[in-house]
Amino acid sequence: MTTAPHSHSPNGHRTSSDFDTTESLARETTEGTVYNVTGGDWDEIAASAAKSDDERIIVNMGPQHPSTHGVLRLILEIDGETVTEARCGIGYLHTGIEKNLEYRTWTQGTTFVTRMDYLTPFFNETAYCLAVEKLLGITDDIPDRASVVRVMLMELNRLSSHLVCIATGGMELGATTIMIYGFRDRELILDIYELITGLRMNHAYIRPGGLAQDLPPGAVDQVRAFVKKMRKNLPEYDKLATGNPVFKGRMEGIGYLDLAGCMATGATGPIVRSAGLPHDLRKTQPYCGYEDYEFDIPTADTCDAYGRFLIRLEEMRQSLRIIEQCLDRLEPGPVMVADKKIAWPAQLALGPDGLGNSLDHIKKIMGTSMEALIHHFKLVTEGFRVPPGQAYAAVESPKGELGVHAVSDGGTRPYRVHFRDPSFTNLQAMAAMCEGGQVADVIVAVASIDPVMGGVDR
Amino acid sequence: MSEQKNPERPDDEPRGDNANGEAVPTQRDDTGEVIATRRGMFGADNGGDTSGYGGLVRTVRLPGATSRPYGGPGAREAYGDFDEIADELEGALDEQGLVPENVIPKTVVDRGELTFHIEREYLPAVARILRDDPALRFELCTGVSGVHFPGDKGRELHAVYHLRSITHNRLIRLEVSAPDADPHIPSLVAVYPTNDWHERETYDFFGLVFDGHPALTRIMMPDDWQGFPQRKDYPLGGIPVEYKGAQIPAPDQRRSYS
Amino acid sequence: MGLEEKLPSGFLLTTVEQAAGWVRKSSVFPATFGLACCAIEMMTTGAGRYDLARFGMEVFRGSPRQADLMIVAGRVSQKMAPVLRQVYDQMPNPKWVISMGVCASSGGMFNNYAIVQGVDHIVPVDIYLPGCPPRPEMLMDAILKLHDKIQHTKLGVNQQQAAREAEEAALKALPLIEMKGLLR
């Protein structure tokens, strides 16, 4: 320890010489004495780093990092500022949902799958229900109203998912205003979800055979009002970001993945569309009656993050178009298949203690029909049996092809359900997009993939 | 019950799915493949079944092989898209000097989906043909899904691939099986790089070893995890849930319908 | 506030505990520990409509070393558990933990091989917040309850006394399975 030349500084505070530092250098300036405190083992580390010519180091980003989109772990080998090798570590949110499904009935399955990719719950539910319906052989029996509501909810969901993608992506670039805007508009959609399903997230509203219940009164008006409002709000993203030179500078040419790369890595959704291929399952393999709606598939030929951003913006506009068409096509009618062996017998109603079965139904099963009571009990506790076999159903989720491979052994519970989640597959393209670029661009590339770890790890 | 009596169906045939009435596809004939035998009604094997159905024995049958013509989606005539795919594939196999019957022992058309069961050693060759042949062009592989049939002796582990052709707008399924004692399947990463993580995931959950995979390590579970959690012989691993004065066992420990 | 106008000579008497509690609760820095669905609701709480800034908490810190509250938002997998503990250990004292959502609190519906059945197996939890996911209002309620707890934290000898009492009470408490009555 070296002693300082002055025992006290002019303003009477204690000086650093009173503290035990390994080394402190005092320097007289016009402002008074300035002490440079160094020491500890950092000197050694800094010296050895300066001595070795090799600037390559391995940086571990995550799994708890604010800009890796959840619990994603990126292992980057960097040479100065350049990423020479990039790898992902995933599995930090592995939930075992596919295993859990095997111990619940087919209907209860929707409750689990909705929590997989938590930003696209309606897509998970629809894909799962389409697979179960294919196994049951009732695909053509789904009532029109149920299909229209499914499409409407999915398109609302596409909006809310893209909004979160743009919002968090913007936040990771430092554009916090976009984040505030995105979450503001997402709240409007969540209000609609809450009105229709009762929940803001994790709805389990779409069930094998149709929907859990009909639209509540006022839902159509609220959706209409939302579409009107959203049409006004969407151009704000254009104003904020599309022409913004800083935003463009960060996004253009970053996360480059051409069509061959997309095909090899299996990337779908906005990534493959940003490479110029208008591949969209809603057009090529329509489900839920998508062939009857008018909408366009936006593409870009830039293969980069900016192109994907523009595609997401345009898809939101197209989704609004589809939602409007849905509202016009809504006809009164059933929302569940007529088969009483699959459809739960009662409409839900709001009782004095929250949700319950409708009073009429309770009157019937408790007063007049013992068989109806037994049937209700059996159907809810045991569930329906699904003929043995396997089926694959795919929907175009906001992130790409969401496929469900469901296997039944003829029991009341799924034998095996596997989700081919687009986030999981698309995230493989991260290495191809990031290697050779800058560290800061890794964030942009990952944000443009829009992986949701709940979907990646399931 | 709205059960329709099917005159062609022998009375002694087990009917596992008749609870659904006529809405289900008609029951397959005896050619369906038995993959398991199920006893009792509630899946209880410790004497807990008091329903009177404890002695019930039923077989579980998956759809069996289909014979030509296969038809196809929207096919007006008997000959459809699926026949075209099968013809092209068999022709291409012939050109490579392979016998189609050895490579594809079984073809199943069920619920409008075409499934080729492939002998595992020929899988990479078949996948390469399916990807490269201009008449087939299945460019996109949507990954592999493992299925474990512990009752299906000799081919317990199945790997299921779905291939999508963007050019021709088609979807097919490849199914490969391996016995538990020798859980090896050739890797498809060289043909479809997208299968990299999918194969690691299937290895992680089912213990299927994909030979030729560049780095077959665990992907979801921690590296030091023991066992393969999504196999049927691996327990769910839940713990009993305690309430005030009551305890509810984990879902796999409860009595349930099978 | 106008209070200082009425003070006789600019003095206000309080206890050190109260003053420290007030200072601590008024600016809690949460660490971003978003895991799953709950993390989205946590972000929503920080965004415009719910505005966590009203409680002096809008500064979500990326580094645990600058944070004193960990909101465990979502299911904790066996693979994530060591990471979570490390992040907790990196936070400076005093620190608090909110277990947000049923998955973090008890494993919730995912009673299986992959999920830790309650984050209290790994870190001490101050507030359990049920819901799947909890609404932003519920999170704010949990945060306000935590503020209340921080405000009334004991210091020094009193803290040791409180810890002793809590331990004695815990040792005497009936196991859950032996309790009777309603689920309260």
Side-chain angles (χ1 to χ4, degrees):
Chain A
M1 188 175 144
T2 55
T3 41
H6 299 285
S7 61
H8 62 274
S9 60
N11 51 10
H13 287 299
R14 297 211 291 173
T15 60
S16 68
S17 64
D18 296 335
F19 300 101
D20 186 40
T21 54
T22 47
E23 199 179 338
S24 59
L25 303 168
R27 191 159 48 92
E28 293 294 332
T29 66
T30 50
E31 304 287 315
T33 317
V34 170
Y35 296 95
N36 288 329
V37 183
T38 56
D41 44 0
W42 284 105
D43 285 344
E44 225 173 281
I45 293 171
S48 69
K51 219 187 306 170
S52 75
D53 201 26
D54 190 15
E55 286 202 344
R56 277 190 302 168
I57 46 173
I58 309 255
V59 173
N60 190 23
M61 258 178 91
Q64 188 50 49
H65 189 278
S67 47
T68 53
H69 259 69
V71 284
L72 172 63
R73 177 176 167 206
L74 299 173
I75 303 144
L76 308 172
E77 191 188 82
I78 54 175
D79 185 0
E81 275 286 304
T82 312
V83 179
T84 51
E85 209 169 328
R87 291 290 177 273
C88 285
I90 61 169
Y92 291 95
L93 196 59
H94 174 58
T95 316
I97 293 180
E98 288 170 3
K99 180 95 174 174
N100 253 112
L101 280 173
E102 294 166 15
Y103 294 94
R104 301 285 177 175
T105 65
W106 289 94
T107 305
Q108 284 174 319
T110 51
T111 317
F112 279 97
V113 299
T114 189
R115 284 163 174 79
M116 284 187 170
D117 183 342
Y118 37 82
L119 289 182
T120 61
F122 288 118
F123 290 93
N124 301 345
E125 291 170 28
T126 310
Y128 171 78
C129 291
L130 288 176
V132 177
E133 284 156 9
K134 207 178 209 178
L135 279 173
L136 283 166
I138 56 169
T139 308
D140 297 332
D141 304 338
I142 307 302
D144 276 348
R145 189 177 168 86
S147 286
V148 173
V149 174
R150 281 180 185 184
V151 169
M152 186 178 85
L153 288 172
M154 278 195 284
E155 293 307 323
L156 283 169
N157 204 167
R158 194 180 308 278
L159 275 161
S160 69
S161 171
H162 280 345
L163 282 172
V164 172
C165 171
I166 290 172
T168 54
M171 183 177 68
E172 285 155 10
L173 299 185
T176 33
T177 315
I178 297 185
M179 184 232 168
I180 297 287
Y181 274 42
F183 274 93
R184 175 199 67 187
D185 289 340
R186 182 171 175 271
E187 277 301 310
L188 303 173
I189 303 174
L190 258 55
D191 285 346
I192 296 176
Y193 292 166
E194 198 178 347
L195 176 73
I196 294 178
T197 72
L199 292 159
R200 288 162 56 87
M201 296 167 79
N202 302 347
H203 314 278
Y205 177 71
I206 296 166
R207 303 274 173 90
L211 307 173
Q213 62 188 113
D214 204 352
L215 292 182
V220 175
D221 296 335
Q222 186 161 345
V223 177
R224 249 187 232 291
F226 162 75
V227 172
K228 210 169 143 200
K229 180 150 198 189
M230 198 64 204
R231 278 200 198 287
K232 261 211 328 263
N233 285 357
L234 267 182
E236 290 181 357
Y237 296 91
D238 275 327
K239 283 184 204 156
L240 256 178
T242 307
N244 186 329
V246 179
F247 192 78
K248 276 171 84 170
R250 287 297 305 271
M251 305 276 270
E252 271 178 340
I254 304 301
Y256 186 90
L257 191 71
D258 61 4
L259 189 55
C262 290
M263 285 287 134
T265 54
T268 45
I271 300 177
V272 76
R273 289 197 280 275
S274 75
L277 182 72
H279 173 61
D280 190 317
L281 292 176
R282 293 178 290 174
K283 286 280 189 202
T284 57
Q285 299 266 324
Y287 49 91
C288 291
Y290 263 114
E291 62 271 27
D292 302 332
Y293 296 89
E294 269 181 39
F295 60 99
D296 303 322
I297 306 297
T299 55
D301 50 7
T302 52
C303 309
D304 62 357
Y306 187 64
R308 282 163 217 147
F309 166 76
L310 292 182
I311 285 175
R312 291 203 170 95
L313 267 188
E314 182 56 32
E315 278 185 13
M316 291 205 280
R317 283 188 209 104
Q318 298 298 330
S319 290
L320 286 179
R321 262 176 86 188
I322 302 177
I323 294 167
E324 272 186 336
Q325 294 173 47
C326 287
L327 290 173
D328 296 338
R329 297 158 69 103
L330 267 182
E331 303 275 344
V335 291
M336 198 68 183
V337 286
D339 190 342
K340 291 290 178 211
K341 292 285 176 189
I342 293 169
W344 281 12
Q347 283 287 314
L348 296 175
L350 203 58
D353 55 345
L355 266 183
N357 285 319
S358 73
L359 278 177
D360 285 344
H361 178 70
I362 293 173
K363 219 179 272 175
K364 183 182 164 213
I365 59 175
M366 300 308 283
T368 59
S369 175
M370 168 68 101
E371 287 74 19
L373 175 64
I374 294 172
H375 171 69
H376 190 157
F377 179 79
K378 287 286 280 177
L379 191 58
V380 174
T381 57
E382 181 179 348
F384 47 81
R385 290 184 185 276
V386 172
Q390 53 186 336
Y392 180 83
V395 300
E396 182 74 25
S397 104
K399 281 129 192 149
E401 175 171 349
L402 174 68
V404 179
H405 174 229
V407 185
S408 169
D409 67 341
T412 57
R413 302 181 300 183
Y415 190 75
R416 159 95 173 134
V417 178
H418 174 73
F419 267 63
R420 185 261 187 209
D421 200 278
S423 301
F424 178 75
T425 317
N426 293 354
L427 196 54
Q428 293 187 89
M430 193 281 294
M433 287 181 185
C434 297
E435 285 176 8
Q438 305 272 297
V439 180
D441 297 340
V442 172
I443 305 297
V444 181
V446 171
S448 80
I449 296 175
D450 189 22
V452 174
M453 297 320 286
V456 175
D457 295 342
R458 301 180 299 282
Chain B
M1 297 276 266
S2 54
E3 168 75 7
Q4 269 185 340
K5 196 79 179 150
N6 188 345
E8 286 153 25
R9 192 155 62 181
D11 271 335
D12 56 348
E13 200 207 303
R15 273 171 265 162
D17 61 339
N18 56 6
N20 288 318
E22 71 268 36
V24 303
T26 49
Q27 176 70 14
R28 280 153 215 90
D29 48 315
D30 282 336
T31 55
E33 293 195 10
V34 180
I35 54 146
T37 313
R38 187 182 287 151
R39 288 170 192 282
M41 188 74 152
F42 296 100
D45 44 13
N46 53 1
D49 190 347
T50 54
S51 66
Y53 285 99
L56 188 70
V57 178
R58 287 172 294 170
T59 50
V60 177
R61 287 158 187 270
L62 285 188
T66 315
S67 51
R68 295 266 194 158
Y70 301 142
R76 295 231 163 64
E77 294 155 35
Y79 184 92
D81 255 8
F82 291 167
D83 293 280
E84 207 179 308
I85 297 170
D87 286 343
E88 289 289 345
L89 180 58
E90 282 169 15
L93 285 171
D94 267 336
E95 275 173 33
Q96 300 208 350
L98 297 168
V99 185
E101 289 75 36
N102 295 349
V103 177
I104 312 170
K106 189 169 66 166
T107 306
V108 179
V109 177
D110 180 49
R111 296 171 168 93
E113 291 178 340
L114 177 66
T115 309
F116 292 121
H117 289 253
I118 311 279
E119 282 296 332
R120 53 180 168 166
E121 59 265 37
Y122 300 112
L123 179 67
V126 171
R128 197 167 282 278
I129 291 170
L130 286 171
R131 189 192 72 178
D132 293 343
D133 193 309
L136 295 166
R137 275 270 188 270
F138 288 90
E139 305 100 337
L140 194 65
C141 180
T142 67
V144 49
S145 155
V147 191
H148 187 212
F149 294 106
D152 197 10
K153 294 290 169 229
R155 37 174 201 180
E156 286 91 345
L157 291 163
H158 289 230
V160 184
Y161 303 82
H162 292 93
L163 306 180
R164 187 179 285 288
S165 162
I166 293 174
T167 311
H168 302 292
N169 197 15
R170 289 164 173 164
L171 180 82
I172 59 164
R173 177 186 297 133
L174 302 184
E175 198 164 337
V176 188
S177 62
D180 246 350
D182 177 32
H184 288 267
I185 285 179
S187 168
L188 278 191
V189 174
V191 186
Y192 294 110
T194 173
N195 273 12
D196 181 355
W197 284 13
H198 289 274
E199 287 181 0
R200 282 175 66 189
E201 189 192 355
T202 311
Y203 162 72
D204 196 351
F205 289 154
F206 291 91
L208 266 173
V209 179
F210 292 89
D211 298 320
H213 189 285
L216 196 68
T217 51
R218 286 194 182 271
I219 188 166
M220 293 294 180
M221 305 308 295
D223 291 336
D224 52 355
W225 194 263
Q226 297 287 316
F228 302 105
Q230 297 205 352
R231 292 166 64 108
K232 288 285 171 184
D233 48 14
Y234 192 99
L236 178 63
I239 54 167
V241 181
E242 279 189 2
Y243 296 95
K244 276 189 181 177
Q247 196 180 43
I248 296 190
D252 57 336
Q253 305 296 318
R254 284 177 219 164
R255 209 173 75 162
S256 58
Y257 300 92
S258 59
Chain C
M1 273 183 354
L3 181 68
E4 60 276 7
E5 312 276 324
K6 299 199 171 55
L7 293 173
S9 54
F11 271 101
L12 185 64
L13 290 180
T14 180
T15 60
V16 177
E17 274 176 2
Q18 294 242 336
W22 179 69
V23 170
R24 281 175 178 174
K25 84 155 195 187
S26 305
S27 133
V28 179
F29 280 20
T32 53
F33 207 88
L35 293 167
C37 338
C38 292
I40 306 294
E41 287 296 62
M42 187 169 74
M43 284 161 75
T44 311
T45 317
R49 187 190 283 190
Y50 298 99
D51 197 8
L52 215 46
R54 289 179 289 166
F55 311 110
M57 291 193 40
E58 78 279 19
V59 196
F60 277 85
R61 304 312 309 190
S63 163
R65 302 209 187 270
Q66 304 161 353
D68 47 12
L69 166 65
M70 182 157 83
I71 303 178
V72 183
R75 47 215 188 212
V76 183
S77 69
Q78 308 279 5
K79 197 172 177 176
M80 195 65 194
V83 182
L84 187 139
R85 179 69 210 194
Q86 179 157 6
V87 169
Y88 178 78
D89 287 340
Q90 285 172 345
M91 285 163 55
N93 268 326
K95 52 191 169 189
W96 296 274
V97 176
I98 291 180
S99 153
M100 181 181 180
V102 279
C103 302
S105 302
S106 73
M109 65 194 290
F110 302 114
N111 192 357
N112 64 18
Y113 64 93
I115 295 296
V116 176
Q117 298 297 306
V119 74
D120 49 5
H121 289 271
I122 311 166
V123 294
V125 176
D126 291 284
I127 302 278
Y128 294 92
L129 171 59
C132 189
R135 300 176 58 88
E137 290 94 334
M138 294 168 75
L139 178 60
M140 287 193 294
D141 181 53
I143 285 169
L144 290 179
K145 286 205 164 69
L146 181 73
H147 282 180
D148 194 52
K149 185 174 178 173
I150 296 173
Q151 170 77 71
H152 296 107
T153 307
K154 301 268 191 289
L155 292 179
V157 191
N158 293 347
Q159 190 179 28
Q160 288 163 9
Q161 170 79 12
R164 259 197 309 277
E165 278 168 17
E167 192 176 353
E168 273 164 30
L171 285 173
K172 263 186 256 164
L174 268 181
L176 190 69
I177 191 92
E178 287 171 25
M179 290 186 197
K180 293 280 178 284
L182 295 172
L183 293 170
R184 256 185 284 146

